[in-house]
Amino acid sequence: QTTVTFWHSFNNANGRALDEIVANFEAVHPEINIEAEYVGNYNDIVARLQAAIPANRGPDAVILEVTRYGLFADAGVLADLTPYFDADPLKDELYDYARQIGVIGEKNFIVPFNSSTPVLYYNKDVLARAGIEGEPDLKTFDAITTAARSVNETLGAEGITGIAAPGQFARWGLVMANGSDLIDPMSGEILLDDPKTLEAYEWMASLVTEGLASADGVTEEDNGRDAFLAGKVGIMMNSTGNYVGSRSALGDKLGVLPMPCNPDCAVPIGGAGIGIMATSQQDVQDAAYEFVSYAASPEANAIWFAATGYLPINKNSAELPVAADALASQPGIDVAINSLPHAHGRARTPVVTWMRTTEYDMWQAMALGQRPVAETMTQFAADTRAEAARLGN
Ligand SMILES: O=P(O)(O)OC[C@H](O)CO
């Protein structure tokens, strides 16, 4: 038997769905043992990998978020999967948006597993109690502010707030919805100090400084999500990968809408793929690829989509009964699918990993009112340019 160690970022219900996929794979491949280990979120995986690589204690396969693997590809740590992928019928089964996730230059470094866009979730009950009946208008930043303010004014005394502080994926999406980006995916140009980026951060920070979003969700972004799941928040912008969890928590009170268009309708493609370590033995890499390919197969992807709300990545998934049932019975699970026509891949140059790690502190300073947005973002842009130059991109 060949053992493949696999680091991933899925716990709770998403972790159980992954366990099912691993078990199904092992049932058809008794010669391969997948030792799957939950090692934390995407940032934790990056940090664990950075620490493990010099000591040669890394896994054989690893979940890597779609904007954060460039660093490892650039350092030669990830195996070039192009020969496997080119010979794999899977390549033609993947949607275009998913197929290009793992490509840098001419090479393929990860194969998609969980793909997402952000969506706008709302609590129908909370909004109705604030006087917003029917499908709310949450298409622009101003409309969101108005709705969040109504919730605060009506239900604030009960400890209910209008909106969850946007997490980093939503922040990136809101910058795109405002007609900009953080880093241009084509040219690599740093756009952190673009006027439209600043304008989006001004608005996002105002949600917190005006008390429409609780500061708890700034210091720890999962707090905003948890408060939404507990029925204490009116609106949350977050990954479609939270759909099933949100529906389990809120049932029919859950509403799902596309992200705002302010005025651009543009959403980022998120999620992760699986990479294979170049240092693993050849037979282990071969076994790891078998698993990577299976995890993106219609059978596995349909289970994953229905259990989590992540996007279908394989063109043949949606017709399988488990996925078709989810589409028919889970209202709003298709919002991210419908936003794919204006979904865009993001930069994945080596500097993106550093930029994302640093952005959390910048956001915190701005949202907590400790530092003005223009000054913070101008300095952040300069620092990111310097780091990009240091990394040679
Ligand atoms: O939360 P996920 O898995 O949809 O990932 C979202 C992003 O890629 C983070 O930028």
mmCIF file with all atom_site columns, all heavy atoms in Angstrom, residues 42 65-66 114 116 169 239 270-271 310 346 356, ligand 1:
data_model
loop_
_atom_site.group_PDB
_atom_site.id
_atom_site.type_symbol
_atom_site.label_atom_id
_atom_site.label_alt_id
_atom_site.label_comp_id
_atom_site.label_asym_id
_atom_site.label_entity_id
_atom_site.label_seq_id
_atom_site.pdbx_PDB_ins_code
_atom_site.Cartn_x
_atom_site.Cartn_y
_atom_site.Cartn_z
_atom_site.occupancy
_atom_site.B_iso_or_equiv
_atom_site.pdbx_formal_charge
_atom_site.auth_seq_id
_atom_site.auth_comp_id
_atom_site.auth_asym_id
_atom_site.auth_atom_id
_atom_site.pdbx_PDB_model_num
ATOM   1   N N   . TYR A 1 42  ? -6.520  28.460 5.626  1.00 0.00 ? 42  TYR A N   1
ATOM   2   C CA  . TYR A 1 42  ? -5.541  28.614 4.534  1.00 0.00 ? 42  TYR A CA  1
ATOM   3   C C   . TYR A 1 42  ? -4.248  29.285 5.002  1.00 0.00 ? 42  TYR A C   1
ATOM   4   O O   . TYR A 1 42  ? -3.160  28.921 4.547  1.00 0.00 ? 42  TYR A O   1
ATOM   5   C CB  . TYR A 1 42  ? -6.147  29.456 3.408  1.00 0.00 ? 42  TYR A CB  1
ATOM   6   C CG  . TYR A 1 42  ? -7.366  28.864 2.733  1.00 0.00 ? 42  TYR A CG  1
ATOM   7   C CD1 . TYR A 1 42  ? -8.431  29.684 2.354  1.00 0.00 ? 42  TYR A CD1 1
ATOM   8   C CD2 . TYR A 1 42  ? -7.449  27.514 2.433  1.00 0.00 ? 42  TYR A CD2 1
ATOM   9   C CE1 . TYR A 1 42  ? -9.541  29.167 1.705  1.00 0.00 ? 42  TYR A CE1 1
ATOM   10  C CE2 . TYR A 1 42  ? -8.562  26.987 1.789  1.00 0.00 ? 42  TYR A CE2 1
ATOM   11  C CZ  . TYR A 1 42  ? -9.606  27.825 1.429  1.00 0.00 ? 42  TYR A CZ  1
ATOM   12  O OH  . TYR A 1 42  ? -10.695 27.310 0.789  1.00 0.00 ? 42  TYR A OH  1
ATOM   13  N N   . GLU A 1 65  ? -4.844  27.572 -1.123 1.00 0.00 ? 65  GLU A N   1
ATOM   14  C CA  . GLU A 1 65  ? -5.816  28.571 -1.575 1.00 0.00 ? 65  GLU A CA  1
ATOM   15  C C   . GLU A 1 65  ? -5.349  29.152 -2.915 1.00 0.00 ? 65  GLU A C   1
ATOM   16  O O   . GLU A 1 65  ? -4.138  29.278 -3.161 1.00 0.00 ? 65  GLU A O   1
ATOM   17  C CB  . GLU A 1 65  ? -5.936  29.645 -0.482 1.00 0.00 ? 65  GLU A CB  1
ATOM   18  C CG  . GLU A 1 65  ? -7.154  30.536 -0.623 1.00 0.00 ? 65  GLU A CG  1
ATOM   19  C CD  . GLU A 1 65  ? -6.891  31.782 -1.429 1.00 0.00 ? 65  GLU A CD  1
ATOM   20  O OE1 . GLU A 1 65  ? -5.700  32.153 -1.594 1.00 0.00 ? 65  GLU A OE1 1
ATOM   21  O OE2 . GLU A 1 65  ? -7.860  32.391 -1.919 1.00 0.00 ? 65  GLU A OE2 1
ATOM   22  N N   . VAL A 1 66  ? -6.316  29.518 -3.761 1.00 0.00 ? 66  VAL A N   1
ATOM   23  C CA  . VAL A 1 66  ? -6.008  29.834 -5.155 1.00 0.00 ? 66  VAL A CA  1
ATOM   24  C C   . VAL A 1 66  ? -5.114  31.051 -5.385 1.00 0.00 ? 66  VAL A C   1
ATOM   25  O O   . VAL A 1 66  ? -4.551  31.194 -6.471 1.00 0.00 ? 66  VAL A O   1
ATOM   26  C CB  . VAL A 1 66  ? -7.301  29.985 -5.996 1.00 0.00 ? 66  VAL A CB  1
ATOM   27  C CG1 . VAL A 1 66  ? -8.056  28.673 -6.064 1.00 0.00 ? 66  VAL A CG1 1
ATOM   28  C CG2 . VAL A 1 66  ? -8.218  31.077 -5.438 1.00 0.00 ? 66  VAL A CG2 1
ATOM   29  N N   . ASN A 1 114 ? -12.126 22.868 -4.255 1.00 0.00 ? 114 ASN A N   1
ATOM   30  C CA  . ASN A 1 114 ? -13.270 23.656 -3.778 1.00 0.00 ? 114 ASN A CA  1
ATOM   31  C C   . ASN A 1 114 ? -13.187 25.050 -4.380 1.00 0.00 ? 114 ASN A C   1
ATOM   32  O O   . ASN A 1 114 ? -12.244 25.779 -4.123 1.00 0.00 ? 114 ASN A O   1
ATOM   33  C CB  . ASN A 1 114 ? -13.269 23.730 -2.248 1.00 0.00 ? 114 ASN A CB  1
ATOM   34  C CG  . ASN A 1 114 ? -11.985 24.298 -1.675 1.00 0.00 ? 114 ASN A CG  1
ATOM   35  O OD1 . ASN A 1 114 ? -10.899 23.825 -1.983 1.00 0.00 ? 114 ASN A OD1 1
ATOM   36  N ND2 . ASN A 1 114 ? -12.107 25.324 -0.862 1.00 0.00 ? 114 ASN A ND2 1
ATOM   37  N N   . SER A 1 116 ? -15.167 28.827 -5.285 1.00 0.00 ? 116 SER A N   1
ATOM   38  C CA  . SER A 1 116 ? -16.208 29.679 -4.693 1.00 0.00 ? 116 SER A CA  1
ATOM   39  C C   . SER A 1 116 ? -16.228 31.046 -5.340 1.00 0.00 ? 116 SER A C   1
ATOM   40  O O   . SER A 1 116 ? -15.282 31.446 -6.010 1.00 0.00 ? 116 SER A O   1
ATOM   41  C CB  . SER A 1 116 ? -15.915 29.864 -3.196 1.00 0.00 ? 116 SER A CB  1
ATOM   42  O OG  . SER A 1 116 ? -14.673 30.522 -3.024 1.00 0.00 ? 116 SER A OG  1
ATOM   43  N N   . PHE A 1 169 ? -12.050 37.849 1.944  1.00 0.00 ? 169 PHE A N   1
ATOM   44  C CA  . PHE A 1 169 ? -12.546 37.449 0.611  1.00 0.00 ? 169 PHE A CA  1
ATOM   45  C C   . PHE A 1 169 ? -13.626 38.435 0.144  1.00 0.00 ? 169 PHE A C   1
ATOM   46  O O   . PHE A 1 169 ? -13.619 38.883 -1.005 1.00 0.00 ? 169 PHE A O   1
ATOM   47  C CB  . PHE A 1 169 ? -13.104 36.033 0.704  1.00 0.00 ? 169 PHE A CB  1
ATOM   48  C CG  . PHE A 1 169 ? -13.471 35.388 -0.610 1.00 0.00 ? 169 PHE A CG  1
ATOM   49  C CD1 . PHE A 1 169 ? -12.758 35.623 -1.777 1.00 0.00 ? 169 PHE A CD1 1
ATOM   50  C CD2 . PHE A 1 169 ? -14.537 34.492 -0.676 1.00 0.00 ? 169 PHE A CD2 1
ATOM   51  C CE1 . PHE A 1 169 ? -13.091 34.991 -2.971 1.00 0.00 ? 169 PHE A CE1 1
ATOM   52  C CE2 . PHE A 1 169 ? -14.883 33.853 -1.856 1.00 0.00 ? 169 PHE A CE2 1
ATOM   53  C CZ  . PHE A 1 169 ? -14.164 34.111 -3.007 1.00 0.00 ? 169 PHE A CZ  1
ATOM   54  N N   . SER A 1 239 ? -18.120 33.580 1.461  1.00 0.00 ? 239 SER A N   1
ATOM   55  C CA  . SER A 1 239 ? -17.994 32.551 0.427  1.00 0.00 ? 239 SER A CA  1
ATOM   56  C C   . SER A 1 239 ? -19.249 31.690 0.313  1.00 0.00 ? 239 SER A C   1
ATOM   57  O O   . SER A 1 239 ? -19.896 31.364 1.314  1.00 0.00 ? 239 SER A O   1
ATOM   58  C CB  . SER A 1 239 ? -16.814 31.650 0.795  1.00 0.00 ? 239 SER A CB  1
ATOM   59  O OG  . SER A 1 239 ? -16.848 30.462 0.036  1.00 0.00 ? 239 SER A OG  1
ATOM   60  N N   . GLY A 1 270 ? -12.652 32.150 -5.633 1.00 0.00 ? 270 GLY A N   1
ATOM   61  C CA  . GLY A 1 270 ? -11.850 31.742 -4.481 1.00 0.00 ? 270 GLY A CA  1
ATOM   62  C C   . GLY A 1 270 ? -11.851 30.245 -4.306 1.00 0.00 ? 270 GLY A C   1
ATOM   63  O O   . GLY A 1 270 ? -12.244 29.494 -5.198 1.00 0.00 ? 270 GLY A O   1
ATOM   64  N N   . GLY A 1 271 ? -11.424 29.845 -3.132 1.00 0.00 ? 271 GLY A N   1
ATOM   65  C CA  . GLY A 1 271 ? -11.349 28.426 -2.831 1.00 0.00 ? 271 GLY A CA  1
ATOM   66  C C   . GLY A 1 271 ? -9.921  27.932 -2.952 1.00 0.00 ? 271 GLY A C   1
ATOM   67  O O   . GLY A 1 271 ? -8.970  28.704 -2.841 1.00 0.00 ? 271 GLY A O   1
ATOM   68  N N   . TYR A 1 310 ? -20.029 24.914 -2.072 1.00 0.00 ? 310 TYR A N   1
ATOM   69  C CA  . TYR A 1 310 ? -18.975 25.289 -3.030 1.00 0.00 ? 310 TYR A CA  1
ATOM   70  C C   . TYR A 1 310 ? -19.481 25.010 -4.443 1.00 0.00 ? 310 TYR A C   1
ATOM   71  O O   . TYR A 1 310 ? -20.362 24.169 -4.644 1.00 0.00 ? 310 TYR A O   1
ATOM   72  C CB  . TYR A 1 310 ? -17.692 24.495 -2.757 1.00 0.00 ? 310 TYR A CB  1
ATOM   73  C CG  . TYR A 1 310 ? -16.824 25.109 -1.673 1.00 0.00 ? 310 TYR A CG  1
ATOM   74  C CD1 . TYR A 1 310 ? -16.775 24.559 -0.398 1.00 0.00 ? 310 TYR A CD1 1
ATOM   75  C CD2 . TYR A 1 310 ? -16.063 26.245 -1.929 1.00 0.00 ? 310 TYR A CD2 1
ATOM   76  C CE1 . TYR A 1 310 ? -15.974 25.128 0.605  1.00 0.00 ? 310 TYR A CE1 1
ATOM   77  C CE2 . TYR A 1 310 ? -15.267 26.817 -0.951 1.00 0.00 ? 310 TYR A CE2 1
ATOM   78  C CZ  . TYR A 1 310 ? -15.223 26.262 0.308  1.00 0.00 ? 310 TYR A CZ  1
ATOM   79  O OH  . TYR A 1 310 ? -14.450 26.841 1.281  1.00 0.00 ? 310 TYR A OH  1
ATOM   80  N N   . ARG A 1 346 ? -7.924  35.823 -9.608 1.00 0.00 ? 346 ARG A N   1
ATOM   81  C CA  . ARG A 1 346 ? -7.129  36.900 -8.995 1.00 0.00 ? 346 ARG A CA  1
ATOM   82  C C   . ARG A 1 346 ? -5.633  36.631 -9.163 1.00 0.00 ? 346 ARG A C   1
ATOM   83  O O   . ARG A 1 346 ? -5.230  35.525 -9.514 1.00 0.00 ? 346 ARG A O   1
ATOM   84  C CB  . ARG A 1 346 ? -7.462  37.006 -7.512 1.00 0.00 ? 346 ARG A CB  1
ATOM   85  C CG  . ARG A 1 346 ? -8.850  37.517 -7.249 1.00 0.00 ? 346 ARG A CG  1
ATOM   86  C CD  . ARG A 1 346 ? -9.223  37.360 -5.798 1.00 0.00 ? 346 ARG A CD  1
ATOM   87  N NE  . ARG A 1 346 ? -9.457  35.969 -5.445 1.00 0.00 ? 346 ARG A NE  1
ATOM   88  C CZ  . ARG A 1 346 ? -9.512  35.506 -4.203 1.00 0.00 ? 346 ARG A CZ  1
ATOM   89  N NH1 . ARG A 1 346 ? -9.320  36.321 -3.203 1.00 0.00 ? 346 ARG A NH1 1
ATOM   90  N NH2 . ARG A 1 346 ? -9.743  34.228 -3.981 1.00 0.00 ? 346 ARG A NH2 1
ATOM   91  N N   . ARG A 1 356 ? -1.584  39.442 1.455  1.00 0.00 ? 356 ARG A N   1
ATOM   92  C CA  . ARG A 1 356 ? -2.797  39.013 2.171  1.00 0.00 ? 356 ARG A CA  1
ATOM   93  C C   . ARG A 1 356 ? -2.550  38.943 3.672  1.00 0.00 ? 356 ARG A C   1
ATOM   94  O O   . ARG A 1 356 ? -3.403  39.314 4.467  1.00 0.00 ? 356 ARG A O   1
ATOM   95  C CB  . ARG A 1 356 ? -3.287  37.672 1.630  1.00 0.00 ? 356 ARG A CB  1
ATOM   96  C CG  . ARG A 1 356 ? -3.736  37.757 0.188  1.00 0.00 ? 356 ARG A CG  1
ATOM   97  C CD  . ARG A 1 356 ? -4.546  36.559 -0.207 1.00 0.00 ? 356 ARG A CD  1
ATOM   98  N NE  . ARG A 1 356 ? -5.810  36.547 0.505  1.00 0.00 ? 356 ARG A NE  1
ATOM   99  C CZ  . ARG A 1 356 ? -6.903  35.934 0.083  1.00 0.00 ? 356 ARG A CZ  1
ATOM   100 N NH1 . ARG A 1 356 ? -6.871  35.261 -1.048 1.00 0.00 ? 356 ARG A NH1 1
ATOM   101 N NH2 . ARG A 1 356 ? -8.015  35.961 0.775  1.00 0.00 ? 356 ARG A NH2 1
HETATM 102 O O1  . LIG B 2 .   ? -13.582 30.585 1.798  1.00 0.00 ? 1   LIG B O1  1
HETATM 103 P P1  . LIG B 2 .   ? -13.242 29.951 0.484  1.00 0.00 ? 1   LIG B P1  1
HETATM 104 O O2  . LIG B 2 .   ? -12.771 28.562 0.607  1.00 0.00 ? 1   LIG B O2  1
HETATM 105 O O3  . LIG B 2 .   ? -14.316 30.129 -0.500 1.00 0.00 ? 1   LIG B O3  1
HETATM 106 O O4  . LIG B 2 .   ? -11.995 30.734 -0.078 1.00 0.00 ? 1   LIG B O4  1
HETATM 107 C C1  . LIG B 2 .   ? -12.133 32.073 -0.326 1.00 0.00 ? 1   LIG B C1  1
HETATM 108 C C2  . LIG B 2 .   ? -10.920 32.702 -0.836 1.00 0.00 ? 1   LIG B C2  1
HETATM 109 O O5  . LIG B 2 .   ? -10.210 32.126 -1.850 1.00 0.00 ? 1   LIG B O5  1
HETATM 110 C C3  . LIG B 2 .   ? -10.160 33.542 0.055  1.00 0.00 ? 1   LIG B C3  1
HETATM 111 O O6  . LIG B 2 .   ? -9.623  34.592 -0.718 1.00 0.00 ? 1   LIG B O6  1
#
